[in-house]
Amino acid sequence: MKVHLKALGCRLNQSEVDSLARQFLAHGHSLTDAPAEADLMVVNTCAVTQEAVRSSRQSIHRLHRANPQARIAVTGCYAHLAPESVRRMAGVAHVVDNYAKEALLSIVTGEPLAAVQPFDLEPLARQALIGAGGRTRAFLKVQDGCDRHCTFCITRVARGKGRSRPIADVVAEAQMLSAHGYQELVLTGVHLGSYGHDLGQPEALVHLLRALLQETSVPRLRLSSLEPWDLPRALFALWEDRRLCRHLHLPLQSGCDATLRRMARRTTQAAFRALIAEVRAIMPDAAIATDVIVGFPGESDKEFAISYAFIEEMDFAALHVFRYSPREGTPAARMPHQVPEAVKRARAEKLLALSQQCSRRFAERFIGQKRPVLWEAISGATEHGFINNGYTDNFLRVRCVVPHVLSNLLTDVQLEALAEDGALLGALEAAQLAQIDTSTR
Ligand code: SF4
């Protein structure tokens, strides 16, 4: 069969679609980017907000219109939460919930699952999914589900209890991805920081990272979102190893203790402030980013002002700002004092303006320094060469113009200036350019 795969939402969904891709290839099927060519189309949906549900439905409609003959298999959080609504949609032949997702191939083909072998990745490489123009980093699922009960969160409802993949499995997959040219692996999960808790091993995240550093040669390991509590004591000491990217995403959600209590978040201003101080003591050049929800039920102007002041004090490298979206089935959706949309919009605009200032201020700190950059896509060319784009280990966006396509190369870059759009302009040393020149001839 020709299979078209689509991931919506989070990095975890993307990593699951990557695994499905490898499985379909291991079974002798092929992948296509063109829905019109597909016999089967698989959609890994998202339901984190009402908007995410709307775009999941829209994607399914669009695929069916593009190819009414093909079967559609829908999985992911929206399929898990509303299977009957999905089943009634035109073209949908299979609805697979999050618990059965890993067996999706067997469910839709009837074939018993075959183990994925390293050579199974050949077609992936051939399809330029790795390197030039393709992706240079792979998302590596290490954990699923969550045992917490944040009152706004539907993810824990859709993904179930916390469960960790065995370290040996994760290391084996990392070795396979590294052997196929991925320069960076991003560890993903629903509640990554709770890795190992279900196994009675609260320090397991440290053991996992150590195993990945010792048993793989991948140049870069990056962590996706880490809830800011219950983190193993020895975790941050691991960052002595420069292969661990100096980039932490620690969702705060609100900077006001009263709001945090209504959200049932296991952090406070004081605890979060102490965590950030601990991180900055070990890695002062780390990019610390966060998520913030504005307009949570009961968030008064005073609470928002407290939250804003705390966020400003924390001086993040980047803010991801979300307007609170009531999700049926969550306690917060039933709370009184829901905030009007206009107020949410105004608060979001204020925080987005702050985020821009913070990101520029963070980037300016590194002008004049040299940082390692993993080059990704080309965004054009000038008479001086190709416009290469990439990210530093501490997630600074960098651009440079050289007469080579640098995709999937890791090079040191002299950071020279900050462009209007927030990217840093960089230069490669002549010796490095000469080396690339020789290796590409
Ligand atoms: S810790 Fe994260 S995934 Fe778990 S309930 Fe809270 S927001 Fe949801």
Side-chain angles (χ1 to χ4, degrees):
M1 281 194 307
K2 278 198 170 179
V3 183
H4 175 75
L5 297 156
K6 182 160 181 71
L8 295 152
C10 64
R11 290 170 166 178
L12 191 56
N13 267 12
Q14 183 62 59
S15 72
E16 289 163 343
V17 158
D18 292 351
S19 300
L20 283 170
R22 291 193 283 272
Q23 280 180 5
F24 277 106
L25 292 165
H27 280 244
H29 303 288
S30 65
L31 303 179
T32 174
D33 283 340
E37 294 172 7
D39 305 300
L40 173 72
M41 302 191 278
V42 178
V43 188
N44 197 2
T45 58
C46 176
V48 72
T49 61
Q50 208 51 43
E51 178 54 30
V53 167
R54 203 184 57 73
S55 60
S56 293
R57 291 183 63 84
Q58 214 177 34
S59 293
I60 298 165
H61 285 313
R62 218 178 278 134
L63 288 174
H64 179 59
R65 276 199 303 277
N67 186 346
Q69 275 68 47
R71 287 182 294 148
I72 303 179
V74 183
T75 187
C77 295
Y78 178 48
H80 189 99
L81 292 169
E84 292 320 313
S85 314
V86 174
R87 219 183 297 284
R88 285 195 295 273
M89 296 180 73
V92 174
H94 310 276
V95 178
V96 180
D97 70 27
N98 277 332
Y99 301 142
K101 194 184 291 183
E102 281 167 22
L104 182 143
L105 185 145
S106 292
I107 294 167
V108 302
T109 66
E111 299 160 19
L113 272 186
V116 174
Q117 305 301 333
F119 58 73
D120 286 326
L121 282 187
E122 283 306 327
L124 268 174
R126 263 203 309 279
Q127 289 186 339
L129 280 177
I130 298 177
R135 300 205 349 250
T136 56
R137 66 168 73 94
F139 300 126
L140 181 55
K141 176 178 178 174
V142 304
Q143 186 272 347
D144 203 342
C146 179
D147 301 330
R148 295 291 319 154
H149 292 79
C150 302
T151 55
F152 55 80
C153 183
I154 196 72
T155 308
R156 64 172 193 85
V157 181
R159 292 260 176 189
K161 293 191 75 51
R163 45 207 193 277
S164 310
R165 287 182 70 194
I167 291 181
D169 287 10
V170 176
V171 169
E173 188 174 343
Q175 287 165 337
M176 184 165 67
L177 292 166
S178 171
H180 265 79
Y182 282 102
Q183 302 279 345
E184 180 175 310
L185 303 181
V186 182
L187 276 58
T188 71
V190 169
H191 187 184
L192 191 56
S194 72
Y195 181 81
H197 290 202
D198 55 309
L199 309 170
Q201 302 161 11
E203 300 289 313
L205 184 58
V206 173
H207 306 315
L208 172 67
L209 291 175
R210 274 211 192 102
L212 288 167
L213 289 169
Q214 284 158 7
E215 299 169 40
T216 78
S217 56
V218 66
R220 278 190 168 174
L221 287 170
R222 192 180 298 277
L223 269 63
S224 62
S225 196
L226 268 181
E227 298 291 0
W229 56 75
D230 290 353
L231 297 172
R233 279 180 309 287
L235 183 67
F236 298 125
L238 292 172
W239 264 259
E240 267 166 32
D241 190 318
R242 301 296 301 203
R243 293 165 61 204
L244 275 172
C245 291
R246 294 167 164 240
H247 172 210
L248 292 171
H249 192 94
L250 303 168
L252 175 66
Q253 303 300 9
S254 172
C256 170
D257 284 347
T259 315
L260 287 170
R261 275 193 297 278
R262 290 195 306 281
M263 289 176 166
R265 298 284 288 170
R266 281 186 75 174
T267 192
T268 61
Q269 280 197 349
F272 197 89
R273 188 183 285 117
L275 176 66
I276 299 298
E278 184 191 344
V279 170
R280 286 183 173 147
I282 293 170
M283 38 180 146
D285 56 347
I288 301 177
T290 196
D291 294 339
V292 182
I293 295 173
V294 294
F296 187 76
E299 187 187 59
S300 60
D301 289 347
K302 184 165 172 255
E303 286 191 5
F304 177 67
I306 293 169
S307 180
Y308 185 96
F310 182 75
I311 292 165
E312 207 170 18
E313 178 200 330
M314 289 301 101
D315 198 19
F316 292 104
L319 305 177
H320 296 191
V321 181
F322 302 90
R323 283 184 272 146
Y324 171 69
S325 164
R327 302 295 295 118
E328 201 187 316
T330 63
R334 299 187 296 276
M335 285 183 185
H337 313 303
Q338 296 283 330
V339 176
E341 283 305 317
V343 175
K344 292 179 193 172
R345 262 196 300 278
R347 289 176 184 169
E349 274 161 27
K350 243 184 136 218
L351 276 178
L352 287 169
L354 177 64
S355 180
Q356 274 215 328
Q357 292 162 24
C358 292
S359 300
R360 289 192 73 83
R361 197 166 43 241
F362 182 72
E364 275 159 1
R365 280 174 50 191
F366 300 93
I367 293 174
Q369 292 187 18
K370 198 183 285 179
R371 301 276 325 181
V373 170
L374 175 56
W375 296 103
E376 302 186 359
I378 298 290
S379 59
T382 71
E383 69 274 21
H384 304 295
F386 298 97
I387 304 173
N388 289 274
N389 300 276
Y391 285 88
T392 63
D393 60 323
N394 58 353
F395 218 54
L396 292 165
R397 196 157 51 87
V398 179
R399 203 163 45 237
C400 88
V401 179
V402 293
H404 298 288
V405 173
L406 301 176
S407 297
N408 211 31
L409 289 181
L410 202 48
T411 69
D412 282 337
V413 178
Q414 187 67 27
L415 304 173
E416 297 183 330
L418 183 61
E420 203 44 48
D421 66 355
L424 281 159
L425 305 179
L428 271 67
E429 283 173 350
Q432 203 160 33
L433 274 175
Q435 205 185 353
I436 293 167
D437 201 31
T438 318
S439 65
T440 50
R441 278 183 196 283

